[in-house]
Amino acid sequence: MASAAAAAAEWEEAERKVLVARKAAFGLPTACPTCLPVLLYLRMCNVPFDIHVDSSFPDADHIPYVEFGECVAFNNEKGGVIEYLKEEKIVDLNSKHPSVSYSDVLSTKAMVLTWLSDALQYELWLASDGSIPHDIYFSDLSWPIGKILYWKKTREVKQQLGITKLNAAEKEEEIYQKANAAYDALSTRLGDQIFLFENSPTDVDALFLGHALFVLNVLPDTSVLRSCLQKYDNLVNFTKHLKVQLLEADSDSSATGLGSTDPSSSSTPRKRASFGRSYKPKPRAKKERTEEEKKFRRKAKYFLATQLVAVLLFLSLMGGSDSSELDDEDGVDYED
C-alpha cells in the first residue's frame, strides 16, 4: 500500500470515490452485511461516492472495496476498508472523540464484530431456507453454481462457528445468549443519546447500524435475532432515525453522494500497480461483432454448456446420501 501521506493526498485529489459493493435489495442500497457498514461509514463521513455493483463473484472476500484516484482499499487487506481509511488518516470518525476511552470503543466494537456478527452469520446461512442468501449473492448465477457456492459457504460458517452434530443445540443457545448480551450492553451504552459515544458517530456506530439495518429489513419476522433486537426500543429507534438520515433523506443522488449505480461494473478489482495503486481501464465503444467473434461466442456457449452438464453430474453423484450426510453431519437442517 502507498504511504499514509500519499494515500491521503490521493484521496483529496480524487474527483470521485467509488464503492464497489454487492447489489441493492430489501430496500437497502446494498443488501450485503459486509458492504453496508462501509457505505454507512462513508455517509457518516460526508464523503461523496458512487456505487458500482459486483455480482459475478459472490464468494470473493475483497468485496467491498473503495477506489479513489489510482488507489484501492480492499476488504481483505489491513483489517478492511474502514480500518484502512482510519490507519491511513484519510477519514477517521473516532478522532473526533478525544475524551472517549479507547478501551470502551474497542470492547464495544469487539461485541459487534464477534457476538453479533456470529449470530447474523448463523441466521443467514444456517437457520434459514437459503432464499435470502440466494437473493443477495447468487441470484445472478446459474442454479448449479449458486447451489454449490451456497453449500460451500454453509460448510465454512459451520466450521467458523464450531458447530457439529453433537453440539448444534448448545451452540445455537450460546450464539443467541451472546447476541442478547451484546444488545443489552449496546442499549445501555446508547441510552437516550443519538450515537453510541457522545453526540457524533464513530466507526462502531457504522458497524452496528449496518448490522441492525440488515436484521430489521432483511431477516424474516420469524427470526430469533430480529426478535432479540426488537426488545430494545432505543436500538430500534437509533436504527430507524439514522436510516432516514443516511439512506432516505435527500433522495437526489447528487445530494446523498450515491451517484450512479452501474450493475455491469467489473466484478474483479482493477489491476494494481506497485504501492497499491490501481489503474482503471477506459471504457471501450461498442462495435458490431464480426463473423469470427460470433463463431467464438458460439464455441464459448458450447463450452459453458458442457461445464454445466459436468456440474449437474457432480451434483447428481453427490446427491441423495451425500446431501443427507451434510444435513446430519453437523446437526443443522437446510431446505433446498
Side-chain angles (χ1 to χ4, degrees), residues 130-141:
S131 59
I132 293 176
H134 175 269
D135 291 342
I136 298 171
Y137 300 98
F138 309 126
S139 60
D140 296 315
L141 303 178

Side-chain angles (χ1 to χ4, degrees), residues 18-21 29 39 43 49-53 258-262:
V18 177
L19 170 63
V20 179
L39 182 149
R43 289 287 179 83
F49 62 94
D50 295 322
I51 297 179
H52 286 188
V53 174
L258 252 174
S260 60
T261 299
D262 181 9

Side-chain angles (χ1 to χ4, degrees), residues 278-313:
S278 169
Y279 294 89
K280 305 174 180 61
K282 295 181 179 180
R284 293 175 295 180
K286 293 183 178 179
K287 61 179 181 179
E288 293 294 326
R289 296 191 183 97
T290 64
E291 286 300 320
E292 288 185 359
E293 288 174 329
K294 292 178 180 178
K295 185 177 179 180
F296 175 79
R297 287 178 65 83
R298 285 195 294 270
K299 289 182 177 179
K301 288 180 179 179
Y302 174 77
F303 173 77
L304 291 174
T306 58
Q307 294 300 303
L308 175 59
V309 171
V311 169
L312 290 173
L313 288 173

Side-chain angles (χ1 to χ4, degrees), residues 1-62:
M1 282 288 182
S3 67
E10 191 75 36
W11 180 271
E12 292 297 327
E13 293 172 4
E15 293 183 4
R16 198 72 175 174
K17 289 79 176 175
V18 177
L19 170 63
V20 179
R22 296 190 169 92
K23 65 183 180 180
F26 303 100
L28 299 173
T30 173
C32 169
T34 306
C35 303
L36 192 54
V38 177
L39 182 149
L40 294 167
Y41 186 82
L42 293 174
R43 289 287 179 83
M44 289 177 176
C45 294
N46 295 316
V47 174
F49 62 94
D50 295 322
I51 297 179
H52 286 188
V53 174
D54 182 307
S55 58
S56 298
F57 293 95
D59 58 341
D61 61 0
H62 63 269

Side-chain angles (χ1 to χ4, degrees), residues 4 7-9 11-12 68 84-92:
W11 180 271
E12 292 297 327
F68 53 100
Y84 171 83
L85 296 177
K86 288 167 51 187
E87 288 182 14
E88 299 298 320
K89 303 186 183 307
I90 296 173
V91 281
D92 183 5

Side-chain angles (χ1 to χ4, degrees), residues 1 34 37-38 41 61-65 72-88 106 109 113 203 207:
M1 282 288 182
T34 306
V38 177
Y41 186 82
D61 61 0
H62 63 269
I63 302 168
Y65 59 95
V72 185
F74 290 105
N75 179 61
N76 60 346
E77 294 183 4
K78 299 192 74 171
V81 176
I82 294 176
E83 287 302 315
Y84 171 83
L85 296 177
K86 288 167 51 187
E87 288 182 14
E88 299 298 320
L106 198 61
K109 183 192 299 185
L113 293 177
D203 61 340
L207 293 169

